[in-house]
Amino acid sequence: MDGKFITIEGPDGSGKSTIIRQLKKHYSKKNVDILFTREPGGTQIGEEIRDIILDKKNTMLGKEAEALLYAASRAQHIHELIEPTLKAGKNIISDRFLLSSLAYQGVGRDLGVEKVREINEFGLKGIEPDLILFFYIDPETTLKRKFRHSKEDRLELEGNAFHNKVYNGYMELMNKYPKNIKKIDATQSISQVKRQTIEAIDAVLK
Ligand code: TYD
């Protein structure tokens, strides 16, 4: 039987990275075999594409090329890692996947959700997450959290208007395509978010 594919989504500053670190510890202690990966990236080629996309120097990068680079990183991720791993019966948790492109490029960059879905579909090989965990948190709260960080990448440097659009995009997408999406209130304490995330993952892994 194929492994389960779980993705974690949410705006910048939603606390995904903190929770993912905790998930790694939790499941390794329990001896549950899960491959943790991320987008953009996850493979050597994907990580090289990630560097291009997030490099602050790349101010010339156009939104169409940006969307195609995310899609290319994802296509390689599926080809080299996600599909073979799931086929081998192993479970995967990915920090971001297709929904990020639909929200950031489709809505945030105004390329259109359907257009962005189309360019991605070419590389998806029909693979869909069994569960999408969406960490929802309003832009005001993420903004306050952001001030605690100093190193920002090209996307994080985008203004508030962009991040508000991404947030609205995520909300719109969740209402339009609620399939397999579980919302987690990311304004709660880390331990509450962690507990609810683990409950949702365990329900799918059973
Ligand atoms: P990520 O490493 O998850 O950043 P963070 O941990 O700070 O949330 O993602 C890098 C950035 O890339 C992030 O700003 C979201 C953006 N992104 C897109 O715009 N489209 C995509 O398809 C993906 C996967 C990420």
Side-chain angles (χ1 to χ4, degrees):
M1 211 179 72
D2 284 0
K4 297 288 184 203
F5 181 34
I6 296 164
T7 64
I8 301 190
E9 295 279 357
D12 288 88
S14 56
K16 277 185 306 101
S17 316
T18 307
I19 297 297
I20 289 169
R21 269 198 304 276
Q22 306 228 1
L23 293 179
K24 285 180 186 166
K25 271 195 219 147
H26 172 84
Y27 287 109
S28 100
K29 247 196 235 157
K30 300 227 152 201
N31 279 322
V32 179
D33 196 16
I34 299 176
L35 176 86
F36 285 88
T37 183
R38 69 166 179 183
E39 289 202 351
T43 63
Q44 197 203 319
I45 292 167
E47 292 293 326
E48 287 179 30
I49 296 174
R50 178 188 177 93
D51 291 343
I52 297 173
I53 301 174
L54 299 182
D55 190 338
K56 277 187 272 190
K57 288 199 305 290
N58 286 337
T59 52
M60 294 296 280
L61 184 61
K63 55 186 181 180
E64 294 81 5
E66 181 191 89
L68 289 163
L69 286 171
Y70 279 114
S73 160
R74 182 163 302 126
Q76 184 63 25
H77 200 195
I78 289 184
H79 165 75
E80 191 184 325
L81 196 71
I82 297 178
E83 191 183 51
T85 305
L86 293 175
K87 283 214 164 126
K90 191 167 165 171
N91 303 310
I92 301 181
I93 294 183
S94 181
D95 181 356
R96 297 193 181 279
F97 191 64
L98 177 65
L99 204 64
S100 284
S101 281
L102 302 183
Y104 282 78
Q105 281 66 54
V107 181
R109 300 284 196 217
D110 286 316
L111 288 174
V113 168
E114 286 317 314
K115 192 84 213 160
V116 173
R117 184 190 291 282
E118 214 177 274
I119 60 165
N120 274 276
E121 229 135 58
F122 183 56
L124 287 180
K125 299 192 185 190
I127 289 179
E128 274 183 30
D130 297 288
L131 171 68
I132 301 171
L133 288 162
F134 177 67
F135 284 21
Y136 74 97
I137 183 163
D138 55 286
E140 291 79 46
T141 312
T142 55
L143 199 71
K144 277 187 218 138
R145 289 184 180 181
K146 256 174 86 172
F147 285 123
R148 295 189 216 139
H149 302 290
S150 52
K151 265 211 303 214
E152 291 184 318
D153 62 41
R154 200 179 56 84
L155 267 283
E156 285 168 339
L157 286 171
E158 282 291 338
N160 295 346
F162 174 75
H163 288 288
N164 284 340
K165 256 163 106 179
V166 170
Y167 174 77
N168 292 332
Y170 265 131
M171 290 306 175
E172 188 188 310
L173 287 162
M174 271 189 312
N175 294 327
K176 223 163 140 190
Y177 307 102
K179 197 179 153 200
N180 298 344
I181 296 188
K182 164 104 181 118
K183 287 192 256 179
I184 307 263
D185 175 1
T187 61
Q188 303 175 100
S189 69
I190 293 177
S191 64
Q192 279 171 310
V193 176
K194 179 184 163 191
R195 185 176 49 75
Q196 290 172 15
T197 305
I198 289 172
E199 269 170 23
I201 294 172
D202 287 347
V204 166
L205 293 187
K206 247 190 232 152

